[in-house]
């Protein structure tokens, strides 16, 4: 029987204590917001320091948040941007990665150099705004979907994963009459599901959290995503529209818990996505990091 030394046991204990403390530091800000959103508004305003549990359970803030039409509209818009945007992202990235991962593609290296070049240098905000405006996408949903249709970094990860698929599978499929689209969608992508799951997570979280492009390109409030609505509530303190029927003396306390409740409502759905993709996440990133 192999007995472990005291040094090894001490090392394991130190790791457990350190990682446990790090986990608490990571998750506590979210728990603070959650506990504050569920607590009595007057107590939240008065409390100073850490909050370890909700006091005076109160769901009025969540009730007011879901009664706000801007939140509901923002939710629907964000779902549209996430679903359509992520689908387009996966399609464009897959097509580009497949083409650049094949051995017989002409000018593959110069094209790859130009793509990598965009990761370090770009036109900037004003030229991008003028381009979006001249293409007629200003103040439309396309302004949040088309300009971000593909990420150079994600393209490199997916290209590297596709290069790991044996060439013999592609050659066998083409001998049976398969074209490039059949090879990509029937062979390459099914064998690369871990990296596809990672791409869905990267792109989906990016669309869910995006607010800057919406602030720049959109003027119609009915097109605002949820994160831009959240920014207005937190930065401009625009909670008055949610507090109809609330007494004048209660407005300030309930306004604070509304902010916390809005953060939870805007954050919780995307957090629920992680457990379903977690088993693919590490494997997919490692596949994309094996080769350069």
């Amino acid at each position: 029987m192999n007995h472990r030394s005291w040094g090894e046991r001490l090392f394991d204990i130190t790791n457990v204590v350190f990682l446990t403390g790090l986990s608490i530091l990571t998750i506590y800000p979210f728990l603070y917001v959650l506990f504050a959103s569920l607590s009595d508004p007057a107590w939240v305003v008065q409390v100073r320091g850490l909050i370890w549990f909700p006091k005076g359970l109160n769901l009025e803030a969540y009730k007011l948040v879901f009664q706000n039409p801007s939140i509901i509209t923002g939710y629907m818009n964000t779902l549209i941007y996430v679903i359509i945007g992520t689908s387009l992202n996966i399609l464009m990235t897959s097509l580009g990665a497949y083409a650049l991962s094949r051995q017989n593609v002409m000018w593959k290296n110069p094209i790859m150099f130009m793509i990598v070049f965009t990761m370090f240098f770009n036109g900037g905000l004003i030229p991008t705004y003028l381009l979006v405006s001249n293409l007629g996408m200003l103040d439309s949903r396309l302004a949040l979907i088309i300009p971000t249709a593909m990420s150079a970094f994600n393209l490199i990860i997916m290209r590297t994963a596709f290069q790991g698929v044996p060439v013999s599978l592609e050659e066998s499929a083409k001998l049976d009459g398969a074209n490039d689209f059949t090879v990509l969608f029937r062979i390459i992508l099914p064998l690369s599901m871990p990296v596809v799951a990672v791409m869905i997570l990267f792109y989906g979280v990016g669309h869910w959290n995006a607010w800057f492009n919406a602030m720049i390109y959109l003027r119609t409030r009915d097109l605002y995503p949820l994160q831009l609505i959240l920014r207005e509530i937190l930065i401009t303190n625009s909670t008055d529209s949610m507090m109809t029927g609330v007494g004048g003396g209660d407005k300030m306390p309930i306004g604070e818990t509304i902010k916390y409740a809005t953060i939870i409502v805007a954050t919780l759905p995307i957090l629920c996505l992680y457990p379903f993709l977690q088993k693919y996440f590490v494997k997919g990133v490692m596949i994309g990091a094996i080769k350069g």
Side-chain angles (χ1 to χ4, degrees):
M1 183 176 180
N2 186 20
H3 294 283
R4 307 186 64 189
S5 65
W6 282 105
E8 292 175 331
R9 294 179 182 179
L10 180 61
F11 178 77
D12 290 342
I13 293 173
T14 303
N15 277 342
V16 170
V17 172
F18 174 75
L19 293 176
T20 301
L22 186 62
S23 301
I24 293 174
L25 290 177
T26 303
I27 197 174
Y28 178 74
F30 179 79
L31 294 178
Y32 178 95
V33 174
L34 177 63
F35 294 156
S37 68
L38 295 172
S39 300
D40 178 59
W43 179 78
V44 172
V45 173
Q46 295 174 2
V47 71
R48 294 293 180 270
L50 304 179
I51 299 177
W52 296 105
F53 53 88
K55 182 176 181 180
L57 187 63
N58 191 315
L59 300 177
E60 186 66 22
Y62 286 95
K63 179 181 177 181
L64 294 173
V65 166
F66 285 109
Q67 287 178 348
N68 183 14
S70 296
I71 297 292
I72 304 302
T73 303
Y75 247 114
M76 297 304 298
N77 289 332
T78 296
L79 289 176
I80 292 173
Y81 298 139
V82 169
I83 294 173
I84 298 179
T86 303
S87 300
L88 180 63
N89 293 145
I90 298 299
L91 176 63
M92 298 298 293
T93 306
S94 301
L95 293 175
Y98 174 74
L100 294 172
S101 65
R102 300 305 93 189
Q103 297 179 350
N104 57 347
V105 176
M106 293 181 58
W107 302 336
K108 179 176 64 175
N109 291 333
I111 293 174
M112 199 65 213
F113 172 79
M114 289 187 289
I115 292 174
V116 173
F117 185 82
T118 64
M119 297 176 63
F120 302 97
F121 303 96
N122 58 65
L125 178 60
I126 294 177
T128 304
Y129 180 88
L130 294 176
L131 176 63
V132 172
S133 177
N134 291 334
L135 291 176
M137 295 189 296
L138 205 61
D139 198 24
S140 71
R141 300 188 192 276
L142 294 178
L144 304 186
I145 297 176
I146 301 300
T148 58
M150 187 171 65
S151 164
F153 177 77
N154 292 339
L155 174 67
I156 294 172
I157 293 178
M158 186 170 280
R159 168 181 170 267
T160 305
F162 286 177
Q163 287 176 334
V165 177
V167 180
S168 58
L169 294 177
E170 178 185 356
E171 294 174 348
S172 299
K174 289 190 174 181
L175 286 176
D176 291 334
N179 56 28
D180 286 318
F181 288 102
T182 303
V183 172
L184 173 61
F185 292 107
R186 301 291 295 275
I187 298 176
I188 303 294
L189 283 179
L191 293 175
S192 306
M193 284 309 297
V195 77
V196 172
V198 172
M199 294 298 101
I200 292 174
L201 185 62
F202 282 174
Y203 282 124
V205 171
H207 284 293
W208 185 273
N209 292 329
W211 62 271
F212 184 76
N213 285 351
M215 183 181 67
I216 297 297
Y217 300 132
L218 299 183
R219 297 293 178 268
T220 304
R221 286 188 59 85
D222 290 340
L223 300 177
Y224 281 8
L226 179 62
Q227 300 301 333
L228 191 55
I229 301 296
L230 174 61
R231 178 183 180 273
E232 287 187 350
I233 293 174
L234 298 179
I235 302 299
T236 65
N237 200 26
S238 58
T239 57
D240 291 342
S241 61
M242 300 190 197
M243 295 185 288
T244 304
V246 178
D250 299 331
K251 276 193 173 184
M252 191 269 185
I254 193 69
E256 289 298 315
T257 53
I258 283 175
K259 294 179 183 180
Y260 292 124
T262 306
I263 293 174
I264 295 297
V265 168
T267 307
L268 192 60
I270 199 66
L271 290 179
C272 294
L273 182 64
Y274 278 89
F276 297 100
L277 299 178
Q278 183 180 10
K279 63 180 180 179
Y280 299 110
F281 187 77
V282 175
K283 183 179 178 182
V285 172
M286 293 303 295
I287 288 175
I290 291 175
K291 300 178 182 179

